[in-house]
Amino acid sequence: MKTIDDLLDEVGGDLKGKRVLVRSDLNVPLDGATITDDGRVRASVPTIQKLIGLGARVLVVAHLGRPKGEPDPQYSLAPVAARLSELLGQPVRFAADTVDVDAQRTAAELNDGDVALLENVRFNAGETSKDDAERGAFADRLAELADVFVSDGFGVVHRKQASVYDIASRLPSAVGGLVQAEVEVLQRLTASPERPYAVVLGGSKVSDKLGVIDHLMTKADTLVIGGGMVFTFLAAQGHGVGTSLLEQDQIDVAKGYLDRADEMGVSIVLPTDVVVAPEFKADAPATTVAIDAIPDDQMGLDIGPDSSAAFAEVVRGARTVFWNGPMGVFEMAAFSSGTRAVAEALTQVDGLSVVGGGDSAAAVRQLGFEDSQFGHISTGGGASLEYLEGKTLPGLSVLEEGS
Ligand code: ADP
Ligand code: MG
């Protein structure tokens, strides 16, 4: 993949006077007009700063939420422009549309080193259209605004959308530093990971993670499974799981994985105890039971203390760890210990520790850990999982083909 430095040679050594369209991922949670977690805005800053330093005229394009292909004020990026301006320490001009009069005027009036943010790209039906021609026509209009494209929205590189995919074949293009860093880490997890390599999976649904289990089973030494999805595995082993989350139609698939792991010499570590409660409620009376003693009328909402200790030991002893999916219902304090124990262990890994997945990243922050305690926290849940499933990501492959 071409980086910004590679691109520089192509466009004549610097970016002075050049309008650079940067696709960032600025899809932050909002409460009214207040950004409740500005992590993605922060993550977008280094690439924008680098372009400013190169004298570029920077036009940032991004989406927020899921508007229906037309303007919808609740999804305006205006609050994000203000936050971006604070983080950059310079004004960020906000264009009230994406490719129309205001965007065009804004693009024309930028000076070297200036930054502008275009209004939500998903206010335009062409952005996410399944119709290649409609998407292409919108990408043509985006391309008219700029001389160069930089793809830095890692959270969207698995999307075949105009501002991610089609634009890259219309302008000289490169990946930004954020996408580059994410891809480098994912490559380390799939190409030649340092061993032992442990993969920890949790979260709510087995069916969401089948592709990842499938692919990583051939790479990892140990697969540790907790969270809501573990009950389907426990059922596959013949345990009663009470009223816990259970995907009945995936029991055979889970059994298949257990058998295959056995044949391949991959060790699968499952919990030996579990925290159960009669109801899915923060103040439900919680008790710890052995895995073969889950009462019929109770549900497992976290792994138990013995399991937490065992999982943590596997994690600490590994040189490469990928973790996706909380070990329990971490949103409720009574069921957050397993997730905390695994997170804590990840911070002690002598090697590469990676947290992927939206809820997992939220969990480590909510539990009070700092991003810097982990080797890497992916900004893109869906994109990182699809990469680890071995899928082709349109926003990356289009950059490999060149323009
Ligand atoms: P990620 O976004 O990191 O990929 P998921 O979306 O797969 O993770 O799963 C996160 C959700 O799984 C959390 O909201 C958490 O409460 C839920 N969860 C974890 N363990 C359990 C459990 N035992 N029962 C029900 N839900 C669970
Ligand atoms: Mg999730």
Side-chain angles (χ1 to χ4, degrees):
M1 272 180 307
K2 214 183 295 162
T3 63
I4 293 172
D5 292 330
D6 299 330
L7 183 79
L8 281 178
D9 301 335
E10 204 174 299
V11 297
D14 70 34
L15 290 171
K16 287 201 182 66
K18 296 270 191 305
R19 287 167 307 160
V20 179
L21 187 72
V22 186
R23 179 52 160 111
S24 299
D25 177 7
L26 303 177
N27 188 24
V28 291
L30 282 181
D31 181 5
T34 307
I35 299 171
T36 52
D37 177 3
D38 68 355
R40 284 179 163 156
V41 188
R42 286 178 184 279
S44 75
V45 163
T47 295
I48 295 170
Q49 245 156 7
K50 178 177 171 110
L51 293 167
I52 293 169
L54 290 166
R57 306 174 173 197
V58 185
L59 275 170
V60 183
V61 62
H63 77 282
L64 182 75
R66 296 186 175 221
K68 306 224 171 334
E70 56 186 56
D72 181 346
Q74 64 171 314
Y75 296 116
S76 173
L77 277 168
V80 176
R83 184 73 190 114
L84 185 59
S85 169
E86 284 167 15
L87 292 167
L88 287 170
Q90 75 176 60
V92 170
R93 180 164 166 175
F94 182 64
D97 54 51
T98 321
V99 292
D100 295 302
V101 181
D102 201 27
Q104 289 166 16
R105 188 189 310 130
T106 301
E109 289 175 4
L110 285 179
N111 290 312
D112 292 1
D114 282 354
V115 178
L117 174 62
L118 304 175
E119 180 57 288
N120 195 337
V121 69
R122 291 191 187 168
F123 286 179
N124 306 269
E127 169 67 0
T128 58
S129 174
K130 295 280 177 270
D131 178 48
D132 290 352
E134 193 185 357
R135 251 192 2 259
F138 179 61
D140 285 340
R141 300 199 62 199
L142 272 175
E144 278 167 22
L145 296 174
D147 307 300
V148 170
F149 174 64
V150 170
S151 177
D152 207 36
F154 181 71
V156 287
V157 292
H158 59 315
R159 305 287 187 205
K160 194 172 181 180
Q161 297 176 344
S163 70
V164 178
Y165 174 79
D166 304 85
I167 183 80
S169 50
R170 286 168 167 77
L171 291 174
S173 301
V175 289
L178 178 61
V179 169
Q180 207 184 330
E182 293 269 10
V183 170
E184 271 164 19
V185 168
L186 291 167
Q187 276 168 348
R188 283 172 70 189
L189 291 177
T190 46
S192 49
E194 245 196 284
R195 301 190 175 279
Y197 179 8
V199 172
V200 185
L201 295 174
S204 43
K205 288 176 82 179
V206 186
S207 45
D208 278 359
K209 311 276 163 90
L210 289 178
V212 185
I213 301 177
D214 219 56
H215 204 66
L216 290 184
M217 181 116 77
T218 64
K219 316 260 178 202
D221 302 299
T222 309
L223 210 55
V224 180
I225 303 177
M229 66 189 260
V230 80
F231 298 100
T232 304
F233 284 86
L234 294 172
Q237 289 185 322
H239 293 294
V241 298
T243 56
S244 307
L245 267 191
L246 176 63
E247 285 176 85
Q248 201 80 46
D249 58 343
Q250 302 295 337
I251 294 178
D252 283 343
V253 179
K255 193 162 188 335
Y257 283 131
L258 292 171
D259 293 343
R260 220 172 97 209
D262 214 32
E263 284 158 24
M264 293 176 29
V266 175
S267 95
I268 293 200
V269 180
L270 298 176
T272 51
D273 58 351
V274 57
V275 180
V276 298
E279 285 182 279
F280 190 89
K281 261 174 116 175
D283 57 357
T287 47
T288 299
V289 298
I291 216 65
D292 54 3
I294 301 177
D296 286 343
D297 57 355
Q298 303 229 0
M299 60 181 74
L301 295 176
D302 194 11
I303 55 172
D306 291 351
S307 310
S308 291
F311 285 16
E313 196 177 310
V314 171
V315 167
R316 277 195 301 267
R319 301 298 295 254
T320 306
V321 184
F322 173 68
W323 174 32
N324 170 267
M327 295 293 100
V329 185
F330 73 92
E331 296 94 336
M332 305 177 188
F335 310 110
S336 63
S337 303
T339 302
R340 181 186 302 279
V342 166
E344 181 80 49
L346 252 88
T347 67
Q348 294 162 356
V349 170
D350 178 15
L352 176 66
S353 60
V354 180
V355 182
D359 290 291
S360 310
V364 299
R365 293 184 182 125
Q366 187 190 309
L367 295 173
F369 295 92
E370 298 290 330
D371 289 19
S372 60
Q373 292 178 273
F374 303 90
H376 183 74
I377 301 184
S378 181
T379 54
S384 56
L385 289 183
E386 288 198 16
Y387 188 101
L388 293 174
E389 285 172 35
K391 286 190 185 160
T392 303
L393 309 189
L396 296 180
S397 58
V398 70
L399 293 170
E400 266 147 26
E401 288 153 15
S403 59

